[in-house]
Amino acid sequence: MNSHDETPENRLRKELPEEVPADGASEVVDAPEEQRSELTGRQRLAKGLWPPRVTRAQLIVAVLLFGLGFGLAVQVASNSDGDSALRGARQEDLVRILDELDDRTQRLEDEKQGLEKQRDELENSSNQAEEARKQTVEKERQLGILAGTVAAQGPGITMTIDDTKGTVEADMLLDAIQELRAAGAEAIQVNGVRVVAGTYLTDSGNSVSVDGNKINAPYRFKVIGKPQDLEPALNIPGGVVQTLEKEQATVTIERSDKIVVDALRAAKRPDYARSSSQ
């Protein structure tokens, strides 16, 4: 009878698990909320404070403040040490320090008076003024020779380069100028063009241009300097003369006790450079 009473519905109910009570469901759901409520308290506060989150800007500010504080501390300590050293000095040591300061002050005063005396002598002495003027004129003349603004004369050489084949180029003439300068040439003139510190040479067809001025062969160099140094410098093995002769040019060098370099350059005011004494 019992076996017949088991209907399909009863068998299905036995196989299914029992339903969870409503109270149990609320307990299961409420458990995470209780844990979350605990995290919002002390644990959340602790997690918010540690580990600390420091930005790059805050770190830089902290380092700067630390360096500033350290520097102030060192300065205060050094000042305190100096003051304490003077406070702890004996009376005779303090007297000796004051004497040394007085002696130094007196030496500076004596030096000042000596310089003032020299100034007065230069201002009042006509001989000193004349000598200073002569030195200034001589210095100006020397600088004028180097700058090419005044004519010059003196011992030296004349070098003539005859280029019948048209094979001499600007760089060969530039090598000759550089060799002459290295040998002590003080003034150089090439075919009526004064050579100065900023001189440049370029090829111009079958001829050469010096600072934009076209010159033609034969190229004649007038050079003021010590002839005993200038001529050997040009005739060294593999030097200027041999190089030009390889290009089938003819080179002649003549020594003279009086070479006149009279090609002039106009004085040019620099665009940017100014005297540092102004």
Side-chain angles (χ1 to χ4, degrees):
M1 178 178 177
N2 292 335
S3 60
H4 292 289
D5 293 337
E6 289 184 1
T7 63
E9 182 179 357
N10 293 334
R11 287 197 304 269
L12 180 60
R13 184 177 300 273
K14 288 181 178 181
E15 292 176 359
L16 293 175
E18 296 182 357
E19 296 182 359
V20 179
D23 294 340
S26 62
E27 291 178 0
V28 174
V29 175
D30 292 340
E33 294 181 357
E34 293 177 358
Q35 294 177 0
R36 285 197 299 269
S37 63
E38 292 179 359
L39 289 178
T40 57
R42 294 187 300 272
Q43 293 180 357
R44 179 166 296 184
L45 178 61
K47 288 184 177 182
L49 295 176
W50 188 266
R53 296 178 178 85
V54 181
T55 63
R56 183 178 180 182
Q58 291 173 341
L59 182 60
I60 294 174
V61 172
V63 172
L64 293 177
L65 291 176
F66 174 78
L68 178 61
F70 181 76
L72 292 175
V74 172
Q75 183 175 2
V76 172
S78 61
N79 293 336
S80 300
D81 293 340
D83 295 340
S84 61
L86 291 177
R87 292 194 195 98
R90 296 177 300 176
Q91 183 176 0
E92 51 269 24
D93 293 336
L94 294 175
V95 172
R96 179 175 55 80
I97 293 173
L98 290 175
D99 291 340
E100 291 177 356
L101 291 176
D102 292 338
D103 294 340
R104 184 179 301 177
T105 303
Q106 186 61 41
R107 287 194 300 269
L108 293 174
E109 185 65 27
D110 295 341
E111 185 177 354
K112 175 185 174 183
Q113 292 178 0
L115 293 174
E116 290 177 348
K117 183 178 179 180
Q118 292 179 5
R119 182 197 62 188
D120 295 339
E121 290 177 353
L122 289 173
E123 289 179 350
N124 299 328
S125 175
S126 59
N127 294 332
Q128 292 290 341
E130 182 65 20
E131 182 64 23
R133 189 189 67 81
K134 289 181 179 179
Q135 293 180 2
T136 301
V137 172
E138 178 64 20
K139 188 68 174 178
E140 182 180 359
R141 186 186 67 83
Q142 294 175 359
L143 293 176
I145 292 175
L146 297 177
T149 57
V150 298
Q153 67 178 21
I157 64 171
T158 299
M159 179 176 66
T160 304
I161 303 173
D162 193 2
D163 180 26
T164 58
K165 302 294 184 179
T167 56
V168 175
E169 297 179 350
D171 59 341
M172 302 176 188
L173 299 183
L174 180 60
D175 289 341
I177 293 174
Q178 299 288 27
E179 195 67 46
L180 290 169
R181 283 174 170 172
E186 297 176 350
I188 303 174
Q189 176 178 316
V190 183
N191 287 31
V193 180
R194 187 71 168 265
V195 176
V196 294
T199 293
Y200 63 94
L201 285 81
T202 58
D203 292 315
S204 180
N206 293 329
S207 59
V208 176
S209 293
V210 181
D211 292 336
N213 301 293
K214 187 176 181 179
I215 60 175
N216 298 312
Y219 304 111
R220 183 170 288 104
F221 285 68
K222 293 184 177 181
V223 187
I224 296 177
K226 188 176 181 179
Q228 296 84 350
D229 295 337
L230 297 176
E231 184 178 0
L234 296 173
N235 284 309
I236 60 175
V240 174
V241 173
Q242 285 192 2
T243 300
L244 292 171
E245 288 178 348
K246 288 181 180 179
E247 299 296 331
Q248 300 181 1
T250 303
V251 182
T252 58
I253 301 176
E254 297 178 359
R255 298 187 184 186
S256 176
D257 293 333
K258 183 180 180 180
I259 298 292
V260 177
V261 175
D262 52 5
L264 303 180
R265 289 293 188 95
K268 181 181 178 181
R269 181 182 177 87
D271 295 328
Y272 304 102
R274 297 292 181 269
S275 174
S276 58
S277 61
Q278 293 181 355

